[in-house]
Amino acid sequence: MYSKIYFFACFSLLLVSTQCVFAQKIDSVQKVKEVSVKASANKPSLRATQKADSASFLKTSSYNVADAIRNFAGVVIKDYGGIGGLKTVSVRSLSAMHTGVQYDGINIGEASTGLIDLGKLALDNVESISLYQAQPDDLLTNARSFSSASLIVVKTKLPSFEEGRSNKLMLKYTGGSFGLINPVIRYDQKITKNWAFNINSAWQKATGDYKFQVIGDGSDTLSTRENSAINAIQLGGGVDGKLSEKSSLAVRVSYYDSKRGLPNAVIFYNPTGSQKLWDKDFYAQAQYKQKLGEDWNILVAAKYSTICTRYNDPDYLNQQGELDNRYTQKEYYQSASTTYSPIKNLTFNYAADVFFTTLYTNLYQYAYPTRTSILQVLGGKYQLNKFTFEGNVLNTYIKEKVKTGKHSPERLVFNPTVSLGYQVTSDVILRGFYKNIFRYPTFNDLYYTNFGNRKLNPEKTKQYNLGFLYDKFRDAKLNWISLSADVYFNQVNDKIIALPNKDLFIWTMYNLGKVNIYGADFTSKFNYTLNQKSEIQANLNYSYQLALDKSDPTSSLYNNHIPYAPEHTIAFNVGLQKKRWGIFYNQIFSSDKYWFGENTPDFLISGFSVSDVSANYRTKVYAKPIMLSAEVNNIFNLNYDIVRSFPMPGTSIRLTLKTTI
Amino acid sequence: MKTINYNLKTLFVAAIAVLTISSCTKDDGYVELPVVRSGYYILNEGGFNSNNSSMSYYNLENGSVVNGFFAQKNGRGLGDTGNDAQIYGSKMYIVVNASNTVEIVDAVTLKSIKQLDFKNNGVGRQPRYVVFNKNKAFVSSYDGTVAVIDTASLAIEKYITVGPNPEQMAIANNKIYVANSGGLNYPNYDNTVSVIDLNTLTEIKKIEVVLNPGGVTAAADGRVYVKSTGNYGNIKPSLTIIDSKTDLVKSTKVFSGSGMVINGDKAYFLSGKGIKLYDMKGDSVLKDNIITDVSDEAKITTPSGLTYDFVNKQFFVCDAKNYASNGQVYCFGQDGMLRYKFTAGVIPNSIIFLNK
């Protein structure tokens, strides 16, 4: 069925594109601009921002958003393994639910589990991915962007055209291990001088199976990870344009539909599991930007999104002979933001978001909650000589309604963020920030039948950060050096944890945890010019994280490492980029970690050091640019787990052919 | 989901002891030898999806503890979610729920003799508990069956169909009483106890009890005590007493407490943070908690198992702690004072005594 939909989509796309090719007027427009790696260095961030762009995706053998950010300092990807395996990101040892994800200008709302699967987000349409601590650098943004401890901002590619062209067709095909088939089409079309649209589609199909070694069941042969197949299509489109010199509109629609096997945890002597997961995600959004004179900027946005999930376990031993759970989440979102600069060096920002989130499930006696969230942020940025001050207060109001039982209490919370930067020299900036924020309990935390606790408080965090950035371009062989170091202290209070209640049969959520996190992030980037045509690019990031359980001084877990928090992480990437080809080596090292609250050797997951190699080659065939890339992941075929009982694949390859017509 | 039936183990050990004793007092004039414990095993359930179910051994001679004893002896792990273990003759039967195996091991060396597979066309049956009768082992499984294993050939001879998601079993009057929880049919739990005739090895009837039965214990006089969990809502946890002679329900009352251990005409239940004392003659609670030790050392966090050692007259309480660390085992004397405690594996749930 998927292939049919896909081919229909491709066919329609081709049809549209051929018509457009004939219909096009030769019109001189923008020239395709290669994204400069150096562009990010313009405005040094006050809050240790890290960025990866489309050029770096190739270097780090990245296939999805999770891959692309795994090299960032302070980031730990929780990867359940394989192509369809859940991939979430935890930043600076705060759980994944503290990381917000903004895609195309508006945040992804996941109120049911709070977990956003970054493995689902492909890179085909992505221009850049930034990781912000505390808040985004750009103040003209919605209030929700200020509501998480860290924020991943994914920017998609805007339509762009070669000189004299008014359309562009990008065709890409990726194939490789796990039976992966992944064709991608994107078509950009100019409508008028100021308007363009694009449509894109991708199909991803893989059998997903891979070999791995079971440790501890006495077997010495390799086992096969089964039930890992995925079949997904993604369809999207957008219209971008200028209404006037000072105003612009961006409209996007996107649909993602997938069916995947959920391979069970590896259970000794029982290598079965037939659970399936279906996703149907849709969103439509519009953003309108207006400049009012020199001082005012306005951004208005609206989004409607649905996330439909179906989980099925055909081996479940109930009378129906299966467990079939369905969840439909809907969000109606609107936002207005503005920045005002009354004088030079001073900017005020204000944003207000209102959104409604509902969750429908087929769970017995479900509460069917509707959450109303009103977020407002008021802040400003002031530059005085070498100092930059930035500060804001976020006000959150949340009210819920339920169809059965009691709803969670109404909340009104204020959270401040303050940042300070000091420009020591033109190349060196000292920076610091403080933020206090929370993650709101998810619908599952609050309302999951017999499991949720409607009285839960938000899980609160405090972040303190001090650091420096040295960033220098030079007219020498070593033409770019960027070094940064930040030390931080994070504290989590009222951490939401599940514990069995008094009759032991049912687990309930409680606000019982407290965690102290002491850490340091170090990042470095170097560009070394060999000659006019070739350059060596290298970056090395190191993170130290000491995340200690401070919940109960009388418990044996007190001062133990929290689960899944490796102390040391190193990401290293080096490569040679020539005009036509490049070759890169990527290394991720993660030290031992515990998968359990208690830190004894029984509960240790050994660290790993995984190496990937990628190569890319650009040429022209019939004057059309062709790019070939090959990636070999886990080249030393390491057998390792990131999440206990969910083994990662061994060596795998991926080949990509891409052209633009 | 694990429910507990400690008295079964005790009862069984008692039965063995009685057999041993009676065999010693036959006409050849032997003096009655008291049963002496050499130590006991602790079955640790392990974490969900963690493959870390394990066996600990406590040596009563020198007070030493060996954790991970099964893995040490067999070079492989027990698997995921060890739910029940019992000794019969020279062998121990360990029921490993999520791994869908029953490990049959030498009771002294713990070396595996046979690993029985509990899958039906590749789908796990999810074995739960084991009881024994006349050279047969009976294993209840969530797929609605009770498997009959010949303790000589160690082969599964038959699957007896019972109700949905059976949990514990008890033997009385040549019948097995099986609690059909229907736990996986939430919210439509089952409310029956299946009765299996031990001669024909078939289900002969179903007795209606309170919703969601899990624990079954047989008293010496033929009464069968069935503990139901209810529906966590309007139907409260209850205790139903069945007369195994007539298979009629004698009484039903709201009752909280898990696990049931019988010692003479007294029974003990695990409740809250202590041990509830129950009088079986009057069928009433005598004391809400017999633990008298109020020291921090004796404080139990999350009770996960209760066993009574009728030889040394001691109570054993397993404590799963916070489910994020290894659990502990507490030994209490008759006076309710803590004798000793030690750290076992993750979620200890039962104690299995080993005699000399």
Side-chain angles (χ1 to χ4, degrees):
Chain A
M1 186 201 98
Y2 285 85
S3 53
K4 271 187 197 159
I5 294 178
Y6 182 73
F7 283 117
F8 176 71
C10 293
F11 182 70
S12 332
L13 269 173
L14 279 171
L15 211 68
V16 172
S17 65
T18 34
Q19 284 172 348
C20 294
V21 169
F22 293 118
Q24 71 173 297
K25 273 191 263 168
I26 298 165
D27 196 1
S28 126
V29 222
Q30 307 155 257
K31 212 184 155 190
V32 178
K33 264 193 172 179
E34 277 287 308
V35 187
S36 166
V37 192
K38 294 150 195 169
S40 62
N42 297 339
K43 276 186 194 165
S45 163
L46 301 180
R47 288 166 299 269
T49 302
Q50 298 178 74
K51 188 173 179 184
D53 53 39
S54 53
S56 81
F57 303 158
L58 277 176
K59 299 179 199 170
T60 54
S61 301
S62 299
Y63 182 60
N64 51 49
V65 169
D67 292 344
I69 59 172
R70 71 195 160 137
N71 275 41
F72 287 174
V75 161
V76 172
I77 305 280
K78 220 170 166 187
D79 188 338
Y80 285 77
I83 282 194
L86 175 69
K87 293 161 183 67
T88 61
V89 58
S90 121
V91 178
R92 292 185 167 185
S93 291
L94 300 172
S95 77
M97 296 174 196
H98 289 281
T99 310
V101 181
Q102 188 186 89
Y103 195 88
D104 237 336
I106 302 181
N107 298 46
I108 298 176
E110 215 316 332
S112 171
T113 62
L115 294 173
I116 296 167
D117 184 1
L118 296 177
K120 263 163 68 175
L121 301 176
L123 292 171
D124 307 312
N125 286 313
V126 175
E127 183 59 56
S128 70
I129 304 168
S130 304
L131 172 65
Y132 297 100
Q133 303 295 337
Q135 66 170 76
D137 290 341
D138 185 359
L139 295 182
L140 187 63
T141 187
N142 58 50
R144 206 179 195 176
S145 302
F146 294 82
S147 70
S148 54
S150 59
L151 181 72
I152 294 166
V153 172
V154 181
K155 288 205 163 122
T156 57
K157 285 180 176 143
L158 290 173
S160 65
F161 305 96
E162 265 182 81
E163 213 173 315
R165 290 277 304 271
S166 65
N167 66 356
K168 185 170 80 179
L169 179 67
M170 188 277 279
L171 300 168
K172 184 180 163 192
Y173 186 91
T174 303
S177 304
F178 316 111
L180 175 68
I181 301 169
N182 183 195
V184 181
I185 294 185
R186 176 178 161 123
Y187 177 71
D188 292 4
Q189 171 71 46
K190 237 172 134 44
I191 307 166
T192 67
K193 192 178 159 215
N194 288 323
W195 288 84
F197 74 86
N198 80 82
I199 41 179
N200 56 72
S201 80
W203 178 37
Q204 186 194 45
K205 188 178 194 298
T207 54
D209 294 357
Y210 55 90
K211 298 273 182 202
F212 71 103
Q213 173 83 53
V214 187
I215 312 272
D217 71 342
S219 66
D220 48 8
T221 51
L222 289 179
S223 293
T224 305
R225 196 91 174 109
E226 284 170 345
N227 190 32
S228 317
I230 181 165
N231 196 344
I233 56 161
Q234 194 270 321
L235 299 169
V239 177
D240 289 90
K242 283 183 177 167
L243 294 158
S244 73
E245 268 307 298
K246 291 186 168 178
S247 60
S248 62
L249 181 71
V251 179
R252 299 275 182 279
V253 284
S254 168
Y255 177 66
Y256 176 86
D257 189 321
S258 75
K259 178 189 177 182
R260 73 188 75 198
L262 287 179
N264 227 348
V266 172
I267 302 291
F268 290 174
Y269 323 118
N270 183 27
T272 55
S274 322
Q275 296 106 306
K276 296 277 184 289
L277 185 76
W278 289 259
D279 287 302
K280 286 182 185 2
D281 301 349
F282 170 81
Y283 71 79
Q285 66 177 52
Q287 291 175 92
Y288 173 78
K289 240 183 212 182
Q290 168 89 50
K291 218 170 153 55
L292 294 171
E294 283 308 300
D295 312 329
W296 283 93
N297 283 297
I298 288 173
L299 171 67
V300 184
K303 181 178 180 177
Y304 166 73
S305 61
T306 59
I307 300 173
C308 299
T309 314
R310 178 185 167 205
Y311 165 84
N312 185 279
D313 182 357
D315 297 340
Y316 199 70
L317 297 172
N318 59 357
Q319 256 154 359
Q320 293 78 36
E322 61 168 15
L323 185 67
D324 196 78
N325 289 339
R326 288 155 198 255
Y327 307 85
T328 302
Q329 226 183 116
K330 288 184 184 174
E331 188 177 278
Y332 307 82
Y333 171 90
Q334 47 256 297
S335 160
S337 13
T338 180
T339 56
Y340 173 61
S341 304
I343 52 167
K344 200 181 161 232
N345 295 335
L346 177 65
T347 308
F348 291 108
N349 65 301
Y350 172 77
D353 295 7
V354 180
F355 49 101
F356 307 95
T357 317
T358 62
L359 179 63
Y360 166 82
T361 75
N362 65 346
L363 298 175
Y364 175 68
Q365 283 185 341
Y366 193 65
Y368 306 104
T370 300
R371 177 181 294 173
T372 303
S373 313
I374 302 173
L375 272 63
Q376 295 182 85
V377 65
L378 177 66
K381 185 175 183 172
Y382 182 55
Q383 211 166 324
L384 181 69
N385 302 322
K386 290 180 169 181
F387 287 96
T388 309
F389 304 94
E390 207 175 310
N392 60 65
V393 174
L394 175 74
N395 167 232
T396 309
Y397 171 78
I398 291 178
K399 189 184 165 95
E400 291 183 345
K401 276 199 305 195
V402 289
K403 287 195 178 150
T404 58
K406 279 191 174 164
H407 58 77
S408 73
E410 208 174 338
R411 306 272 176 189
L412 181 70
V413 195
F414 291 89
N415 297 96
T417 307
V418 283
S419 315
L420 179 65
Y422 176 68
Q423 194 84 41
V424 184
T425 68
S426 61
D427 311 320
V428 177
I429 184 169
L430 293 178
R431 60 194 180 191
F433 75 80
Y434 164 76
K435 184 179 180 88
N436 117 26
I437 192 70
F438 60 88
R439 83 153 177 94
Y440 201 73
T442 63
F443 282 147
N444 280 0
D445 293 338
L446 295 167
Y447 300 113
Y448 203 92
T449 313
N450 277 348
F451 172 84
N453 174 357
R454 299 176 189 207
K455 289 178 192 155
L456 277 182
N457 286 319
E459 180 175 313
K460 300 166 188 78
T461 59
K462 283 180 187 162
Q463 298 163 274
Y464 304 83
N465 183 91
L466 262 182
F468 80 91
L469 170 71
Y470 169 78
D471 199 73
K472 190 164 176 70
F473 290 94
R474 308 186 322 160
D475 212 7
K477 287 270 186 192
L478 184 62
N479 61 10
W480 184 35
I481 310 169
S482 174
L483 301 171
S484 81
D486 288 86
V487 290
Y488 60 86
F489 170 62
N490 293 343
Q491 195 169 49
V492 185
N493 278 304
D494 274 350
K495 191 177 166 70
I496 297 170
I497 46 182
L499 279 176
N501 69 13
K502 62 175 178 4
D503 62 8
L504 302 186
F505 293 101
I506 289 194
W507 291 56
T508 311
M509 309 303 294
Y510 297 97
N511 283 106
L512 279 177
K514 186 175 172 183
V515 183
N516 280 2
I517 301 149
Y518 311 87
D521 285 350
F522 171 79
T523 73
S524 64
K525 280 182 188 170
F526 308 93
N527 272 12
Y528 185 86
T529 315
L530 290 172
N531 54 49
Q532 285 219 311
K533 284 182 178 168
S534 51
E535 196 175 60
I536 291 176
Q537 301 167 351
N539 59 64
L540 174 72
N541 293 342
Y542 165 74
S543 310
Y544 173 76
Q545 303 181 55
L546 185 67
L548 303 178
D549 185 334
K550 296 278 179 183
S551 310
D552 176 8
T554 66
S555 156
S556 63
L557 306 185
Y558 190 72
N559 268 340
N560 278 6
H561 295 258
I562 61 166
Y564 294 107
E567 243 180 277
H568 308 278
T569 316
I570 301 170
F572 172 61
N573 187 276
V574 64
L576 174 67
Q577 185 65 60
K578 305 270 275 187
K579 211 171 171 186
R580 292 204 128 179
W581 57 268
I583 181 158
F584 290 88
Y585 175 82
N586 199 69
Q587 181 84 36
I588 302 275
F589 166 81
S590 171
S591 65
D592 295 351
K593 59 184 176 260
Y594 296 96
W595 58 271
F596 214 48
E598 184 162 301
N599 295 174
T600 61
D602 295 347
F603 308 124
L604 194 76
I605 302 180
S606 299
F608 58 85
S609 187
V610 178
S611 318
D612 306 329
V613 170
S614 74
N616 60 76
Y617 176 72
R618 283 162 221 269
T619 185
K620 282 198 171 181
V621 175
Y622 296 110
K624 299 294 175 202
I626 299 274
M627 196 210 57
L628 288 158
S629 70
E631 294 147 324
V632 185
N633 295 325
N634 192 359
I635 53 173
F636 300 116
N637 200 22
L638 187 78
N639 188 39
Y640 71 111
D641 284 16
I642 291 179
V643 181
R644 178 163 160 105
S645 304
F646 289 85
M648 297 293 289
T651 303
S652 65
I653 56 159
R654 226 169 17 237
L655 298 169
T656 301
L657 172 67
K658 183 178 162 182
T659 185
T660 317
I661 303 166
Chain B
M1 292 298 287
K2 152 105 193 173
T3 50
I4 320 146
N5 188 11
Y6 297 86
N7 70 302
L8 272 183
K9 294 153 209 169
T10 325
L11 207 73
F12 166 68
V13 174
I16 295 293
V18 168
L19 279 172
T20 322
I21 293 162
S22 53
S23 63
C24 292
T25 49
K26 275 182 187 166
D27 28 17
D28 42 10
Y30 279 160
V31 182
E32 221 178 87
L33 282 175
V35 176
V36 180
R37 305 287 198 212
S38 55
Y40 54 88
Y41 295 106
I42 302 104
L43 175 64
N44 305 294
E45 196 170 315
F48 175 65
N49 279 354
S50 303
N51 284 317
N52 64 342
S53 186
S54 64
M55 272 280 172
S56 303
Y57 182 69
Y58 186 89
N59 187 329
L60 277 166
E61 276 155 35
N62 55 19
S64 64
V65 186
V66 187
N67 285 326
F69 201 34
F70 178 91
Q72 206 183 83
K73 292 288 179 167
N74 294 287
R76 60 184 177 86
L78 195 52
D80 202 299
T81 318
N83 200 64
D84 190 22
Q86 304 286 346
I87 293 174
Y88 187 71
S90 62
K91 300 183 187 78
M92 176 154 57
Y93 291 68
I94 312 167
V95 183
V96 192
N97 175 253
S99 284
N100 288 288
T101 57
V102 171
E103 291 276 357
I104 304 172
V105 301
D106 183 291
V108 177
T109 66
L110 226 60
K111 276 272 196 190
S112 179
I113 297 162
K114 189 165 185 184
Q115 185 190 56
L116 281 176
D117 182 79
F118 264 69
K119 287 193 280 294
N120 183 13
N121 292 322
V123 177
R125 292 179 181 272
Q126 296 203 43
R128 298 293 294 167
Y129 290 91
V130 61
V131 291
F132 302 92
N133 183 65
K134 292 180 187 158
N135 302 319
K136 301 271 189 252
F138 298 88
V139 175
S140 62
S141 291
Y142 266 170
D143 69 341
T145 61
V146 171
V148 184
I149 302 163
D150 185 276
T151 56
S153 68
L154 305 184
I156 300 171
E157 292 183 329
K158 187 180 180 181
Y159 292 97
I160 305 164
T161 301
V162 291
N165 316 130
E167 294 277 7
Q168 292 180 354
M169 298 163 286
I171 295 170
N173 272 318
N174 205 35
K175 289 176 279 191
I176 310 179
Y177 293 80
V178 189
N180 299 315
S181 73
L184 300 184
N185 285 322
Y186 168 82
N188 305 312
Y189 295 114
D190 201 87
N191 64 343
T192 62
V193 167
S194 286
V195 184
I196 295 171
D197 182 337
L198 279 168
N199 295 326
T200 61
L201 296 181
T202 50
E203 182 192 70
I204 49 170
K205 70 181 78 150
K206 276 181 177 158
I207 303 168
E208 203 172 298
V209 294
V210 177
L211 207 65
N212 198 5
V216 192
T217 312
D221 63 2
R223 278 183 294 175
V224 176
Y225 287 74
V226 181
K227 201 53 229 335
S228 294
T229 307
N231 65 357
Y232 312 101
N234 58 335
I235 300 175
K236 302 281 179 238
S238 307
L239 186 66
T240 303
I241 302 170
I242 297 169
D243 182 348
S244 66
K245 292 181 196 86
T246 59
D247 282 340
L248 294 173
V249 172
K250 287 181 74 175
S251 73
T252 288
K253 64 182 158 200
V254 171
F255 186 87
S256 73
S258 60
M260 184 177 176
V261 167
I262 296 174
N263 178 30
D265 54 9
K266 301 278 186 298
Y268 302 95
F269 290 87
L270 204 52
S271 83
K273 291 191 173 160
I275 302 167
K276 193 179 266 188
L277 174 63
Y278 184 87
D279 175 32
M280 293 179 70
K281 282 185 289 188
D283 271 318
S284 60
V285 175
L286 290 180
K287 236 182 213 176
D288 275 335
N289 191 1
I290 60 160
I291 296 175
T292 50
D293 199 328
V294 289
S295 68
D296 280 351
E297 279 293 288
K299 215 169 121 188
I300 299 156
T301 316
T302 316
S304 53
L306 170 67
T307 309
Y308 179 69
D309 178 2
F310 76 96
V311 174
N312 295 320
K313 306 210 175 344
Q314 288 169 330
F315 295 95
F316 292 89
V317 178
C318 298
D319 185 353
K321 306 299 283 184
N322 38 29
Y323 283 76
S325 65
N326 282 316
Q328 290 196 309
V329 174
Y330 297 71
C331 174
F332 290 97
Q334 289 282 318
D335 55 359
M337 295 300 286
L338 180 69
R339 289 285 180 274
Y340 61 94
K341 68 172 183 179
F342 60 93
T343 300
V346 176
I347 317 180
N349 66 21
S350 19
I351 305 280
I352 308 101
F353 296 105
L354 187 66
N355 295 333
K356 273 188 178 163

